[in-house]
């Protein structure tokens, strides 16, 4: 019977065995530290509470009487619930002193200049206007049969020129308008004419109306030239006053009353 020789004992552990035991001890220590930290966090979360709306530390210096709110009504104190003010048409309005002080800051030359501008504008409306430089249109039926389109009448104000056009055509698809200029045909614009409903028996052709807006202030030497046009499938037809165009000239009427500024003056 044979047996294997016994391994000699040196009194020291093998190197591989000691390293494994050290790693296990470090792992156990890390687990314990993590477990303790997790338990502390969970304990703190269980103990957490919301802060009160008014912490006691902030209210230490506030008395109890100032914390409570009391409501008082006007009628319980002998006061009126509403105040009514009656105004009379004979009573002069009260102008605040601030408004009067601002008004006094404007110098008299500025006040006179503003008044002169307003008065000059009213004065020009009464004395300066556009007038027709052509005779009143006549023989509308004969002219519309000859030209297919003609000016029937025109009226002039300080701000616009309005007129009526007679058109004779069998086409339903047509365009009627006025071509005009303020600068001697350096440029021009078109204003479309609109049909006018009429019950006049025996009327030759159709009636249209137009409006041309003029500048409020024009040079005395300026003029307004215009002509009527009709565009259909049969072609274009014009009424341009036999090649001379219809002209409105700026007319200055001399005034016999001298202009005196009355702005901001006592009356």
């Amino acid at each position: 019977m044979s047996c294997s020789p016994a391994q000699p004992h040196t009194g020291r552990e093998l190197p591989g065995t000691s390293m494994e035991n050290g790693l296990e001890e470090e792992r156990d220590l890390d687990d314990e530290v993590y477990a303790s930290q997790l338990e502390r966090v969970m304990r703190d979360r269980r103990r957490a509470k919301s802060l009160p709306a008014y912490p006691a530390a902030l209210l230490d210096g506030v008395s109890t009487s100032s914390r409570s709110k009391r409501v008082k009504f006007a009628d319980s104190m002998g006061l009126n619930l509403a105040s009514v003010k009656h105004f009379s048409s004979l009573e002069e309005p009260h102008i605040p002193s601030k408004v009067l002080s601002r008004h006094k800051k404007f110098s008299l030359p500025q006040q006179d200049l503003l008044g002169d501008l307003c008065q000059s504008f009213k004065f020009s409306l009464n004395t300066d206007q556009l007038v027709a430089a052509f005779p009143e249109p006549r023989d509308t039926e004969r002219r519309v049969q000859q030209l297919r389109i003609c000016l029937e009448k025109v009226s002039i104000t300080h701000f616009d020129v309005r007129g009526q056009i007679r058109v004779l055509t069998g086409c339903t698809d047509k365009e009627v308008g006025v071509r005009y200029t303020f600068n001697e045909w350096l440029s021009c614009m078109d204003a479309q004419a609109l049909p006018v409903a009429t019950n006049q028996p025996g009327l030759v052709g159709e009636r249209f109306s137009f409006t041309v807006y003029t500048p409020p202030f024009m040079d005395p030497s300026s003029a307004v030239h215009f002509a009527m046009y009709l565009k259909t499938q049969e072609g274009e037809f014009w009424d341009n006053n036999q090649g001379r165009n219809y002209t409105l000239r700026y007319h200055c009427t001399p005034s016999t009353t001298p202009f005196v500024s009355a702005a901001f003056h006592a009356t």
Side-chain angles (χ1 to χ4, degrees):
M1 180 175 177
S2 62
C3 60
S4 59
Q7 187 174 0
H9 178 69
T10 60
R12 297 181 301 176
E13 294 182 356
L14 296 177
T17 303
S18 61
M19 291 180 63
E20 292 177 358
N21 294 335
L23 293 174
E24 291 179 358
E25 293 177 357
E26 291 180 1
R27 292 194 191 98
D28 295 340
L29 182 60
D30 293 339
D31 294 341
E32 292 178 0
V33 173
Y34 176 75
S36 62
Q37 293 178 351
L38 180 61
E39 184 180 359
R40 190 182 305 110
V41 171
M42 296 301 295
R43 189 185 310 113
D44 295 339
R45 292 186 61 183
R46 287 194 298 269
R47 290 186 304 178
K49 295 182 180 180
S50 300
L51 289 175
Y54 299 97
L58 298 178
L59 299 177
D60 290 341
V62 182
S63 61
T64 306
S65 60
S66 62
R67 297 180 189 177
S68 61
K69 296 182 179 180
R70 293 184 299 174
V71 179
K72 294 182 180 180
F73 295 93
D75 55 349
S76 63
M77 301 175 63
L79 302 177
N80 295 327
L81 294 178
S83 177
V84 180
K85 173 65 175 177
H86 296 278
F87 294 93
S88 175
S89 59
L90 302 178
E91 182 181 356
E92 294 184 359
H94 174 69
I95 303 177
S97 58
K98 293 183 178 180
V99 177
L100 291 176
S101 61
R102 291 180 181 177
H103 175 70
K104 293 179 180 179
K105 290 181 180 179
F106 290 97
S107 60
L108 292 178
Q110 292 178 345
Q111 297 179 4
D112 292 340
L113 178 60
L114 179 60
D116 291 345
L117 289 176
C118 297
Q119 196 71 8
S120 177
F121 178 72
K122 294 175 60 178
F123 185 75
S124 63
L125 292 180
N126 296 329
T127 57
D128 304 336
Q129 60 182 355
L130 288 171
V131 296
F134 54 88
E136 183 180 357
R138 298 179 182 275
D139 299 332
T140 304
E141 286 74 10
R142 179 185 60 82
R143 291 166 50 231
V144 72
Q145 291 177 354
Q146 179 181 359
L147 303 174
R148 299 286 188 93
I149 182 174
C150 69
L151 177 64
E152 187 171 3
K153 65 178 182 179
V154 64
S155 61
I156 307 169
T157 67
H158 292 287
F159 305 102
D160 56 30
V161 178
R162 302 174 184 266
Q164 288 186 355
I165 304 173
R166 189 78 66 89
V167 173
L168 180 61
T169 178
C171 300
T172 57
D173 187 10
K174 54 183 172 292
E175 179 182 351
V176 182
V178 179
R179 181 163 297 178
Y180 61 96
T181 179
F182 298 137
N183 53 11
E184 302 295 332
W185 298 109
L186 296 177
S187 62
C188 61
M189 292 168 285
D190 292 344
Q192 185 177 4
L194 303 177
V196 177
T198 178
N199 295 327
Q200 182 178 348
L203 181 67
V204 178
E206 303 174 70
R207 184 171 288 163
F208 288 76
S209 65
F210 69 89
T211 302
V212 174
Y213 295 98
T214 58
F217 298 100
M218 298 182 63
D219 187 85
S221 61
S222 61
V224 180
H225 306 281
F226 64 95
M228 277 61 63
Y229 65 84
L230 168 64
K231 299 180 181 180
T232 64
Q233 297 177 353
E234 300 174 351
E236 291 188 8
F237 304 91
W238 290 83
D239 177 17
N240 54 9
N241 194 20
Q242 298 180 354
R244 297 187 297 268
N245 294 321
Y246 293 95
T247 302
L248 307 175
R249 297 197 179 277
Y250 193 76
H251 180 68
C252 299
T253 304
S255 177
T256 57
T257 304
F259 169 69
V260 178
S261 175
F264 297 100
H265 291 174
T267 56

